[in-house]
Amino acid sequence: MSWDADGAARAIAAATACGMDFIEIALLDPASTDPTLGRQLLENASLPAVCSLGLPKANWASRDPEAAIEFLSTAIETCAALGATALTGVTYGGIGERSGTPPTNSELDNVARALETAAKIAGQHGLLFGIEPVNRYETHLINTAKQGVDMIERIGADNMFLHLDTYHMNIEEKGAGNGILAAREHLRYIHLSESDRGTPGAGTCDWNEIFATLAAVSFEGGLAMESFINMPPEIAHGLSVWRPVADSAEEVIGQGLPFLKGKARQYGLI
Protein backbone atom coordinates (compact mmCIF):
# COMPACT_ATOMS: atom_id res chain seq x y z
CA MET A 1 0.00 0.00 0.00
CA SER A 2 3.01 2.30 0.36
CA TRP A 3 4.37 3.28 -3.04
CA ASP A 4 7.87 4.13 -1.84
CA ALA A 5 10.96 2.56 -3.41
CA ASP A 6 10.70 -0.68 -1.45
CA GLY A 7 6.93 -0.96 -1.79
CA ALA A 8 6.99 -0.31 -5.54
CA ALA A 9 9.76 -2.82 -6.16
CA ARG A 10 8.02 -5.48 -4.04
CA ALA A 11 4.60 -4.97 -5.62
CA ILE A 12 5.86 -4.95 -9.20
CA ALA A 13 8.01 -8.04 -8.68
CA ALA A 14 5.12 -9.90 -7.03
CA ALA A 15 2.61 -8.91 -9.73
CA THR A 16 5.02 -10.04 -12.43
CA ALA A 17 5.73 -13.34 -10.68
CA CYS A 18 1.99 -14.02 -10.37
CA GLY A 19 1.43 -13.44 -14.07
CA MET A 20 -0.75 -10.37 -13.68
CA ASP A 21 -1.36 -8.33 -16.81
CA PHE A 22 -1.27 -4.94 -15.06
CA ILE A 23 -1.09 -3.44 -11.59
CA GLU A 24 -3.31 -0.93 -9.80
CA ILE A 25 -1.38 1.61 -7.74
CA ALA A 26 -3.13 3.14 -4.73
CA LEU A 27 -2.09 6.80 -4.77
CA LEU A 28 -2.92 7.43 -1.13
CA ASP A 29 -0.34 10.21 -0.95
CA PRO A 30 0.57 11.25 -4.51
CA ALA A 31 2.79 14.12 -3.39
CA SER A 32 5.18 11.70 -1.67
CA THR A 33 5.32 9.22 -4.54
CA ASP A 34 8.51 8.98 -6.61
CA PRO A 35 7.07 8.67 -10.13
CA THR A 36 10.43 8.58 -11.88
CA LEU A 37 11.54 5.48 -9.99
CA GLY A 38 8.09 3.92 -10.26
CA ARG A 39 8.00 4.43 -14.01
CA GLN A 40 11.44 2.92 -14.42
CA LEU A 41 10.44 -0.17 -12.43
CA LEU A 42 7.20 -0.55 -14.37
CA GLU A 43 8.94 -0.19 -17.73
CA ASN A 44 11.67 -2.64 -16.73
CA ALA A 45 8.95 -5.17 -15.91
CA SER A 46 6.84 -4.29 -18.98
CA LEU A 47 3.92 -3.93 -16.58
CA PRO A 48 1.11 -1.47 -17.39
CA ALA A 49 -0.45 0.44 -14.51
CA VAL A 50 -3.66 2.13 -13.42
CA CYS A 51 -3.79 4.48 -10.43
CA SER A 52 -6.64 4.79 -7.94
CA LEU A 53 -7.50 6.85 -4.87
CA GLY A 54 -10.07 8.31 -2.54
CA LEU A 55 -9.97 11.95 -1.51
CA PRO A 56 -8.67 12.93 1.95
CA LYS A 57 -11.21 14.64 4.20
CA ALA A 58 -9.63 18.06 3.69
CA ASN A 59 -10.19 17.66 -0.06
CA TRP A 60 -13.73 16.28 -0.23
CA ALA A 61 -15.28 17.64 -3.42
CA SER A 62 -18.78 17.92 -1.96
CA ARG A 63 -17.53 20.48 0.56
CA ASP A 64 -14.64 22.16 -1.25
CA PRO A 65 -14.36 21.54 -4.99
CA GLU A 66 -11.27 23.73 -5.30
CA ALA A 67 -9.42 21.65 -2.69
CA ALA A 68 -10.50 18.49 -4.51
CA ILE A 69 -9.21 19.88 -7.81
CA GLU A 70 -5.88 20.72 -6.18
CA PHE A 71 -5.45 17.17 -4.84
CA LEU A 72 -6.64 15.54 -8.05
CA SER A 73 -4.30 17.70 -10.12
CA THR A 74 -1.32 16.45 -8.14
CA ALA A 75 -2.56 12.87 -8.45
CA ILE A 76 -3.06 13.24 -12.21
CA GLU A 77 0.44 14.64 -12.68
CA THR A 78 1.88 11.77 -10.62
CA CYS A 79 -0.20 9.23 -12.53
CA ALA A 80 1.03 10.59 -15.87
CA ALA A 81 4.64 10.67 -14.68
CA LEU A 82 4.35 7.01 -13.65
CA GLY A 83 3.26 6.18 -17.19
CA ALA A 84 -0.13 4.89 -16.04
CA THR A 85 -3.11 4.88 -18.40
CA ALA A 86 -5.85 6.08 -16.05
CA LEU A 87 -6.72 7.58 -12.68
CA THR A 88 -9.84 6.14 -11.09
CA GLY A 89 -11.48 5.18 -7.80
CA VAL A 90 -13.50 7.36 -5.44
CA THR A 91 -12.25 10.45 -7.27
CA TYR A 92 -15.40 12.33 -6.29
CA GLY A 93 -15.08 12.01 -2.50
CA GLY A 94 -13.75 10.26 0.53
CA ILE A 95 -13.84 6.59 1.47
CA GLY A 96 -16.06 6.82 4.52
CA GLU A 97 -17.68 10.16 3.59
CA ARG A 98 -21.24 10.19 4.88
CA SER A 99 -23.35 13.21 5.77
CA GLY A 100 -26.22 11.23 7.31
CA THR A 101 -28.64 12.44 4.62
CA PRO A 102 -29.04 11.90 0.86
CA PRO A 103 -26.71 13.99 -1.32
CA THR A 104 -27.92 17.54 -1.80
CA ASN A 105 -28.02 19.34 -5.13
CA SER A 106 -25.30 21.63 -3.83
CA GLU A 107 -23.04 18.67 -2.98
CA LEU A 108 -23.56 17.09 -6.40
CA ASP A 109 -22.95 20.44 -8.10
CA ASN A 110 -19.65 20.72 -6.25
CA VAL A 111 -18.70 17.15 -7.18
CA ALA A 112 -19.54 17.77 -10.84
CA ARG A 113 -17.48 20.95 -10.86
CA ALA A 114 -14.43 19.19 -9.42
CA LEU A 115 -14.75 16.16 -11.71
CA GLU A 116 -15.23 18.25 -14.84
CA THR A 117 -12.03 20.17 -14.17
CA ALA A 118 -10.11 17.05 -13.17
CA ALA A 119 -11.24 15.18 -16.29
CA LYS A 120 -10.05 18.10 -18.43
CA ILE A 121 -6.64 18.09 -16.72
CA ALA A 122 -6.41 14.31 -17.11
CA GLY A 123 -7.22 14.66 -20.80
CA GLN A 124 -4.41 17.15 -21.23
CA HIS A 125 -2.07 14.47 -19.89
CA GLY A 126 -3.54 11.80 -22.15
CA LEU A 127 -5.16 9.97 -19.24
CA LEU A 128 -8.55 8.35 -18.81
CA PHE A 129 -10.44 9.46 -15.70
CA GLY A 130 -12.81 7.15 -13.83
CA ILE A 131 -15.35 7.25 -11.03
CA GLU A 132 -16.20 4.24 -8.87
CA PRO A 133 -19.60 3.96 -7.17
CA VAL A 134 -19.20 2.53 -3.68
CA ASN A 135 -21.67 1.25 -1.13
CA ARG A 136 -23.89 3.29 1.18
CA TYR A 137 -21.66 2.64 4.20
CA GLU A 138 -18.65 4.26 2.50
CA THR A 139 -20.29 7.27 0.85
CA HIS A 140 -23.66 8.97 0.50
CA LEU A 141 -22.79 10.46 -2.89
CA ILE A 142 -22.60 7.81 -5.64
CA ASN A 143 -23.64 4.23 -4.80
CA THR A 144 -24.95 2.68 -8.02
CA ALA A 145 -23.94 2.31 -11.66
CA LYS A 146 -26.92 4.48 -12.66
CA GLN A 147 -25.78 7.30 -10.37
CA GLY A 148 -22.29 7.04 -11.81
CA VAL A 149 -23.59 7.13 -15.38
CA ASP A 150 -25.73 10.17 -14.53
CA MET A 151 -22.67 12.03 -13.26
CA ILE A 152 -20.55 11.08 -16.28
CA GLU A 153 -23.27 12.12 -18.72
CA ARG A 154 -23.83 15.35 -16.81
CA ILE A 155 -20.15 16.26 -17.27
CA GLY A 156 -19.85 14.94 -20.82
CA ALA A 157 -16.06 14.51 -20.89
CA ASP A 158 -14.90 12.04 -23.54
CA ASN A 159 -12.15 10.62 -21.31
CA MET A 160 -14.41 9.83 -18.35
CA PHE A 161 -15.48 6.25 -17.63
CA LEU A 162 -17.36 4.20 -15.07
CA HIS A 163 -15.45 1.86 -12.76
CA LEU A 164 -17.60 -0.81 -11.11
CA ASP A 165 -16.76 -3.05 -8.16
CA THR A 166 -18.48 -6.38 -7.55
CA TYR A 167 -18.26 -6.02 -3.75
CA HIS A 168 -20.19 -2.75 -3.83
CA MET A 169 -22.57 -4.03 -6.50
CA ASN A 170 -23.38 -7.02 -4.30
CA ILE A 171 -24.77 -4.52 -1.78
CA GLU A 172 -26.30 -1.83 -3.98
CA GLU A 173 -27.49 -3.28 -7.28
CA LYS A 174 -30.56 -5.40 -7.95
CA GLY A 175 -28.25 -8.09 -9.26
CA ALA A 176 -24.72 -7.45 -10.51
CA GLY A 177 -25.85 -8.06 -14.07
CA ASN A 178 -28.29 -5.16 -13.88
CA GLY A 179 -25.52 -2.88 -12.67
CA ILE A 180 -23.30 -3.88 -15.58
CA LEU A 181 -26.17 -3.35 -18.02
CA ALA A 182 -26.82 0.10 -16.56
CA ALA A 183 -23.16 1.00 -17.09
CA ARG A 184 -22.91 -0.40 -20.64
CA GLU A 185 -20.81 1.84 -22.92
CA HIS A 186 -19.40 3.85 -20.01
CA LEU A 187 -17.90 0.79 -18.32
CA ARG A 188 -14.14 0.54 -18.85
CA TYR A 189 -12.88 -1.00 -15.58
CA ILE A 190 -14.14 -3.37 -12.91
CA HIS A 191 -12.86 -4.52 -9.53
CA LEU A 192 -13.48 -8.24 -9.14
CA SER A 193 -13.90 -8.41 -5.38
CA GLU A 194 -15.57 -11.14 -3.34
CA SER A 195 -18.59 -10.51 -1.09
CA ASP A 196 -16.32 -10.29 1.99
CA ARG A 197 -13.39 -8.69 0.10
CA GLY A 198 -11.44 -11.92 0.57
CA THR A 199 -10.53 -14.73 -1.83
CA PRO A 200 -12.53 -14.61 -5.09
CA GLY A 201 -14.66 -17.72 -5.46
CA ALA A 202 -14.95 -18.31 -1.72
CA GLY A 203 -17.90 -16.00 -1.05
CA THR A 204 -21.41 -15.32 -2.33
CA CYS A 205 -20.82 -13.20 -5.45
CA ASP A 206 -22.53 -14.71 -8.50
CA TRP A 207 -19.48 -14.88 -10.74
CA ASN A 208 -21.28 -16.56 -13.62
CA GLU A 209 -23.80 -13.72 -13.72
CA ILE A 210 -21.00 -11.14 -13.53
CA PHE A 211 -18.85 -12.61 -16.30
CA ALA A 212 -21.79 -13.54 -18.53
CA THR A 213 -23.10 -9.97 -18.42
CA LEU A 214 -19.65 -8.52 -19.06
CA ALA A 215 -19.47 -10.75 -22.13
CA ALA A 216 -22.98 -9.71 -23.19
CA VAL A 217 -22.00 -6.02 -23.25
CA SER A 218 -18.73 -6.83 -25.06
CA PHE A 219 -16.61 -5.57 -22.18
CA GLU A 220 -13.02 -4.87 -23.21
CA GLY A 221 -11.73 -2.93 -20.21
CA GLY A 222 -9.58 -3.77 -17.21
CA LEU A 223 -10.42 -6.79 -15.05
CA ALA A 224 -8.80 -6.04 -11.70
CA MET A 225 -8.70 -8.52 -8.84
CA GLU A 226 -9.20 -6.55 -5.63
CA SER A 227 -8.70 -8.46 -2.40
CA PHE A 228 -7.40 -7.29 0.94
CA ILE A 229 -5.13 -8.86 3.52
CA ASN A 230 -3.40 -6.01 5.34
CA MET A 231 -4.39 -2.37 5.01
CA PRO A 232 -3.15 0.90 6.48
CA PRO A 233 -5.42 2.19 9.28
CA GLU A 234 -6.86 5.06 7.24
CA ILE A 235 -8.13 2.66 4.57
CA ALA A 236 -9.27 -0.03 7.03
CA HIS A 237 -11.32 2.62 8.86
CA GLY A 238 -12.98 3.89 5.70
CA LEU A 239 -13.80 0.37 4.53
CA SER A 240 -14.86 -0.82 8.01
CA VAL A 241 -12.61 -3.87 7.81
CA TRP A 242 -11.72 -4.98 11.33
CA ARG A 243 -10.40 -8.51 10.77
CA PRO A 244 -8.46 -10.47 8.15
CA VAL A 245 -10.82 -11.51 5.35
CA ALA A 246 -8.50 -14.24 4.04
CA ASP A 247 -5.97 -16.49 5.69
CA SER A 248 -3.01 -15.31 3.63
CA ALA A 249 -1.87 -13.53 0.50
CA GLU A 250 -0.86 -16.95 -0.81
CA GLU A 251 -4.48 -18.10 -0.56
CA VAL A 252 -5.80 -15.01 -2.34
CA ILE A 253 -3.27 -15.24 -5.16
CA GLY A 254 -3.02 -19.02 -5.35
CA GLN A 255 -6.76 -19.65 -5.40
CA GLY A 256 -8.45 -16.36 -6.26
CA LEU A 257 -6.39 -15.34 -9.27
CA PRO A 258 -6.69 -18.69 -11.14
CA PHE A 259 -10.43 -18.70 -10.34
CA LEU A 260 -10.97 -15.28 -11.90
CA LYS A 261 -8.78 -15.99 -14.91
CA GLY A 262 -10.64 -19.25 -15.46
CA LYS A 263 -13.99 -17.45 -15.43
CA ALA A 264 -12.70 -14.75 -17.78
CA ARG A 265 -11.52 -17.41 -20.23
CA GLN A 266 -14.78 -19.34 -19.90
CA TYR A 267 -16.75 -16.30 -21.00
CA GLY A 268 -14.30 -15.19 -23.71
CA LEU A 269 -13.08 -12.04 -21.98
CA ILE A 270 -9.37 -12.92 -22.15
Side-chain angles (χ1 to χ4, degrees):
M1 296 297 291
S2 178
W3 200 252
D4 55 17
D6 290 340
R10 183 170 61 254
I12 291 169
T16 302
C18 293
M20 292 186 176
D21 300 308
F22 68 95
I23 190 169
E24 182 178 316
I25 300 169
L27 282 183
L28 302 180
D29 185 7
S32 68
T33 299
D34 183 345
T36 302
L37 174 61
R39 184 172 192 144
Q40 181 181 353
L41 292 170
L42 290 166
E43 289 179 349
N44 289 345
S46 299
L47 189 67
V50 170
C51 295
S52 65
L53 53 75
L55 299 179
K57 188 172 184 178
N59 303 89
W60 286 356
S62 63
R63 299 180 181 178
D64 191 340
E66 293 304 320
I69 291 167
E70 181 180 358
F71 185 87
L72 288 168
S73 296
T74 300
I76 289 165
E77 291 168 3
T78 302
C79 186
L82 281 164
T85 58
L87 177 68
T88 187
V90 190
T91 52
Y92 53 86
I95 301 172
E97 176 183 357
R98 298 179 301 275
S99 68
T101 61
T104 65
N105 289 334
S106 176
E107 286 178 320
L108 294 177
D109 288 346
N110 285 342
V111 167
R113 177 182 170 188
L115 292 179
E116 181 176 13
T117 301
K120 182 177 180 180
I121 296 169
Q124 292 168 350
H125 287 276
L127 293 174
L128 296 172
F129 185 72
I131 59 173
E132 177 188 12
V134 297
N135 71 75
R136 68 192 72 184
Y137 309 109
E138 295 180 29
T139 186
H140 68 293
L141 295 169
I142 299 177
N143 304 129
T144 67
K146 176 63 166 58
Q147 287 177 302
V149 167
D150 288 345
M151 181 58 70
I152 289 171
E153 293 185 346
R154 171 178 177 171
I155 294 168
D158 291 340
N159 65 324
M160 282 192 74
F161 67 92
L162 193 65
H163 162 182
L164 292 181
D165 183 309
T166 55
Y167 168 80
H168 301 297
M169 295 168 72
N170 196 48
I171 297 171
E172 297 295 342
E173 304 289 353
K174 297 185 186 301
N178 285 327
I180 293 167
L181 291 173
R184 287 188 181 272
E185 68 271 16
H186 295 291
L187 180 60
R188 298 286 297 273
Y189 196 69
I190 185 165
H191 277 164
L192 303 172
S193 186
E194 192 47 89
S195 56
D196 64 349
R197 294 190 180 274
T199 305
T204 61
C205 282
D206 189 334
W207 293 107
N208 287 313
E209 177 185 357
I210 291 163
F211 280 97
T213 314
L214 289 172
V217 300
S218 301
F219 179 76
E220 295 181 346
L223 297 162
M225 184 177 79
E226 184 185 52
S227 299
F228 298 111
I229 301 295
N230 298 307
M231 291 181 287
E234 63 272 23
I235 295 297
H237 178 269
L239 301 181
S240 297
V241 176
W242 315 118
R243 59 182 173 79
V245 292
D247 290 336
S248 66
E250 289 74 22
E251 174 189 299
V252 170
I253 298 297
Q255 299 177 24
L257 183 58
F259 173 82
L260 292 176
K261 284 193 171 186
K263 285 295 179 186
R265 290 191 188 95
Q266 178 184 346
Y267 287 94
L269 293 170
I270 59 174

